């Protein structure tokens, strides 16, 4: 348990209007950006994306079936994905899964272990000759969805746990009718955001999107997905207005006037309630079309930094239907260390996590403990550290620090 004494070491700071990066979040759940954009810049981006869409090739026939796509390179996301996938399988999910990574983010042993869980590991380097630096971070998500072998994709962030088997979503009437299901974020997009002009759309007051889970029929939404990737590959412009990849999906659909289904139930929070600081939400709670909790997105305090017996999911807070949404970001700081938490205000429902989902988090921690006690994990940690620290390791030179091509004699 995260002790109250530990939390008391930190100084609490809350703000009604908090600036984070290029965005400011207000108490009444509006995300504002510090980017206006002149007419020439807006016209340039508008012309570029329309030209790009006009050149998109038809949907290829090579895709088939349904499956789950996860991006999971590196220690933190591999750890999260390992728990996520093991819980999916233990909850009876038999959907095929693809795990995407870049370069040597996964070693051969980790790939073999994932394959035993009916997972196919896909390296981005095998699917493109494009400069892969453009595919780092957020852009990898739409790229993996586009390149996956599945025609219909449930995308999951590595740290987004499913409470039960999510396969039924593919057969829901909402998905069958629209070919796309999106999930809501906490806020709306400010009407002054230049993205509205760039996509030739009037501000409509719709809720922003949280992209930790996406359900997409690629055949029905091929152009939209490609446009989404275009937005992410041009992040120098679009991330000035949007918060990472998440709303690039929604605005690609809006730009092409394509309807989508947005889950009606507002996003909730899961975390712990400590008397010293109040509620500390660290995971986003998302629902299925019927209003039942299905996803727990562990945005903060991911599994790789958890102790084996550390319980964080004790309380769930959700907005009551039709209530005015209020939202707060909290920071607990000590020196240079800053921990971020979230809280909901207004008319909210508070329920016990244990009463709803029993020992779910304990079972996740048991998987984490098993992984950490295995030689697989220690060797993967070493692999990751070497790949970041040894100049020739990434090129497959495991014996010596320098390869022959990297050595030389300094001239006098």
């Amino acid at each position: 348990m995260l002790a109250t004494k530990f939390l008391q070491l930190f100084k609490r700071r809350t703000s009604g209007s908090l600036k984070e990066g290029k965005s400011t979040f207000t108490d009444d759940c509006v995300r504002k950006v510090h980017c206006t954009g002149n007419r020439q810049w807006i016209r340039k981006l508008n012309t570029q994306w329309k030209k790009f869409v006009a050149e998109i090739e038809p949907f290829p026939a090579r895709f088939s079936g349904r499956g789950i796509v996860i991006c999971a390179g590196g220690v933190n996301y591999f750890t999260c994905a390992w728990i996520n996938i093991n819980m999916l399988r233990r909850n009876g999910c038999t959907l095929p899964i693809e795990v995407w990574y870049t370069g040597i983010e996964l070693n051969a042993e980790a790939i073999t272990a994932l394959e035993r869980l009916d997972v196919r590991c896909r390296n981005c380097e095998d699917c493109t000759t494009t400069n892969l630096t453009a595919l780092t971070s957020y852009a990898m998500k739409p790229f993996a969805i586009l390149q996956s072998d599945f025609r219909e994709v449930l995308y999951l962030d590595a740290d987004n746990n499913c409470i039960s088997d999510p396969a039924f979503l593919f057969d829901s009437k909402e998905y069958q009718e629209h070919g796309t299901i999106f999930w809501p974020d906490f806020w709306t997009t400010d009407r002054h955001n230049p993205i509205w002009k760039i996509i030739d759309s009037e501000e409509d007051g719709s809720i922003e999107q949280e992209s930790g889970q996406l359900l997409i029929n690629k055949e029905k939404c091929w152009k939209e997905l490609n446009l989404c990737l275009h937005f992410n590959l041009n992040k120098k412009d679009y991330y000035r207005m949007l918060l990472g990849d998440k709303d690039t999906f929604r605005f690609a659909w809006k730009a092409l006037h394509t309807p989508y289904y947005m889950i009606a139930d507002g996003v909730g929070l899961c975390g712990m309630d400590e008397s010293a600081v109040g509620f500390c939400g660290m995971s986003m709670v998302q629902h299925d079309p019927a209003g039942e909790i299905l996803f727990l997105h562990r945005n903060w305090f991911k599994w790789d930094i958890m102790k084996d017996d550390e319980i964080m999911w004790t309380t769930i807070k959700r907005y009551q239907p039709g209530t005015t949404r209020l939202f707060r970001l909290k920071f607990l700081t000590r020196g240079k260390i800053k921990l971020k938490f979230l809280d909901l205000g207004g008319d909210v429902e508070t329920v016990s996590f244990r009463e709803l989902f029993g020992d779910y988090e304990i079972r996740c921690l048991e998987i984490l403990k098993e992984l950490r006690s295995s030689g697989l994990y220690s060797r993967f940690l070493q692999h990751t550290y070497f790949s970041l620290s040894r100049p020739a390791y990434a090129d497959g030179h495991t014996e010596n620090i320098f390869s022959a091509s990297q050595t030389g004699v300094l001239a006098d």
Side-chain angles (χ1 to χ4, degrees):
M1 179 70 70
L2 186 60
T4 301
K5 185 178 291 186
F6 169 79
L7 289 173
Q8 288 173 338
L9 293 172
F10 294 84
K11 179 182 178 182
R12 181 183 179 203
R13 178 170 64 84
T14 62
S15 175
S17 178
L18 186 128
K19 181 178 179 181
E20 187 179 68
K22 298 180 179 66
S23 295
T24 297
F25 307 94
T26 66
D27 266 355
D28 56 348
C29 296
V30 177
R31 184 181 66 84
K32 299 177 179 290
V33 293
H34 312 283
C35 168
T36 54
N38 57 43
R39 291 181 180 178
Q40 182 179 1
W41 179 71
I42 290 173
R43 186 165 53 249
K44 181 193 74 170
L45 295 183
N46 179 276
T47 301
Q48 285 178 347
W49 76 254
K50 288 180 178 177
K51 181 177 183 295
F52 173 82
V53 168
E55 296 172 354
I56 295 174
E57 296 182 359
F59 178 77
R62 63 183 177 86
F63 304 119
S64 63
R66 298 168 170 177
I68 295 173
V69 171
I70 299 172
C71 295
V75 172
N76 53 350
Y77 290 112
F78 169 75
T79 307
C80 292
W82 182 260
I83 294 172
N84 189 353
I85 294 167
N86 271 275
M87 289 300 289
L88 280 167
R89 295 305 187 218
R90 295 182 188 191
N91 285 333
C93 179
T94 59
L95 287 169
I97 299 173
E98 290 183 357
V99 165
W100 283 76
Y101 67 101
T102 299
I104 59 170
E105 287 181 329
L106 296 181
N107 65 354
E109 188 176 8
I111 291 171
T112 299
L114 286 168
E115 288 173 344
R116 297 192 190 104
L117 296 169
D118 191 21
V119 173
R120 182 186 178 197
C121 295
R122 306 284 305 274
N123 192 333
C124 288
E125 291 184 350
D126 298 331
C127 299
T128 182
T129 56
T130 305
N131 183 1
L132 284 171
T133 57
L135 287 177
T136 56
S137 188
Y138 299 125
M140 190 174 173
K141 186 183 298 186
F143 178 83
I145 297 172
L146 280 165
Q147 294 295 327
S148 72
D149 283 344
F150 309 126
R151 184 173 63 250
E152 300 177 74
V153 172
L154 172 61
Y155 175 86
L156 295 175
D157 276 356
D159 54 357
N160 193 3
N161 291 79
C162 297
I163 290 297
S164 59
D165 181 2
F168 71 93
L169 290 172
F170 287 104
D171 296 316
S172 64
K173 62 181 177 63
E174 293 81 4
Y175 172 71
Q176 291 295 320
E177 179 180 345
H178 294 84
T180 305
I181 294 182
F182 291 152
W183 277 260
D185 212 322
F186 292 106
W187 39 75
T188 58
T189 307
D190 179 42
R191 62 188 179 90
H192 299 296
N193 192 312
I195 188 64
W196 297 109
K197 293 181 179 179
I198 290 168
I199 66 167
D200 293 327
S201 176
E202 295 292 328
E203 187 274 330
D204 58 11
S206 58
I207 196 76
E208 288 197 342
Q209 174 192 3
E210 193 266 308
S211 61
Q213 56 285 305
L214 303 156
L215 192 66
I216 297 173
N217 185 319
K218 289 159 52 173
E219 186 172 10
K220 290 183 177 181
C221 307
W222 184 244
K223 286 187 176 181
E224 292 77 6
L225 267 175
N226 277 275
L227 179 57
C228 174
L229 180 59
H230 169 81
F231 288 161
N232 282 274
L233 292 178
N234 291 276
K235 61 184 178 182
K236 183 178 179 181
D237 291 312
Y238 286 96
Y239 288 7
R240 293 174 60 189
M241 304 167 282
L242 307 178
L243 197 58
D245 71 276
K246 69 181 194 69
D247 247 14
T248 57
F249 291 88
R250 183 172 69 110
F251 280 110
W253 266 245
K254 284 184 175 296
L256 298 179
H257 307 287
T258 304
Y260 56 82
Y261 181 81
M262 179 70 76
I263 291 293
D265 288 82
V267 57
L269 285 172
C270 184
M272 58 186 182
D273 201 354
E274 289 286 343
S275 58
V277 294
F279 178 73
C280 298
M282 72 240 351
S283 300
M284 299 176 83
V285 175
Q286 297 284 12
H287 303 79
D288 66 19
E292 299 296 325
I293 294 175
L294 182 58
F295 301 106
L296 293 172
H297 190 179
R298 206 170 178 108
N299 310 74
W300 301 277
F301 282 89
K302 300 186 191 301
W303 295 112
D304 63 306
I305 63 168
M306 297 297 296
K307 295 181 179 178
D308 293 343
D309 59 350
E310 201 165 28
I311 300 297
M312 291 287 192
W313 286 339
T314 64
T315 305
I316 291 176
K317 294 182 76 170
R318 296 188 287 180
Y319 292 115
Q320 295 282 14
T323 188
T324 300
R325 293 177 298 113
L326 298 175
F327 171 80
R328 288 194 301 169
L329 286 161
K330 298 179 180 179
F331 287 101
L332 305 174
T333 60
R334 183 190 181 207
K336 294 182 179 180
I337 301 175
K338 181 184 288 186
L339 302 178
K340 181 166 67 173
F341 299 100
L342 294 89
D343 198 0
L344 304 182
D347 189 8
V348 298
E349 173 193 26
T350 301
V351 295
S352 165
F353 178 88
R354 194 68 181 263
E355 289 181 6
L356 288 179
F357 304 117
D359 63 350
Y360 184 91
E361 186 178 19
I362 293 173
R363 289 188 287 141
C364 291
L365 290 171
E366 288 173 350
I367 295 170
L368 176 63
K369 187 175 182 179
E370 292 170 3
L371 175 64
R372 284 175 170 166
S373 63
S374 68
L376 158 70
Y377 198 61
S378 60
R379 288 185 290 273
F380 180 67
L381 292 175
Q382 178 176 286
H383 163 83
T384 302
Y385 187 71
F386 279 8
S387 68
L388 296 173
S389 305
R390 294 173 67 94
Y393 188 84
D395 297 324
H397 300 280
T398 58
E399 298 299 327
N400 300 309
I401 291 181
F402 299 103
S403 68
S405 63
Q406 292 172 309
T407 58
V409 178
L410 292 176
D412 291 333

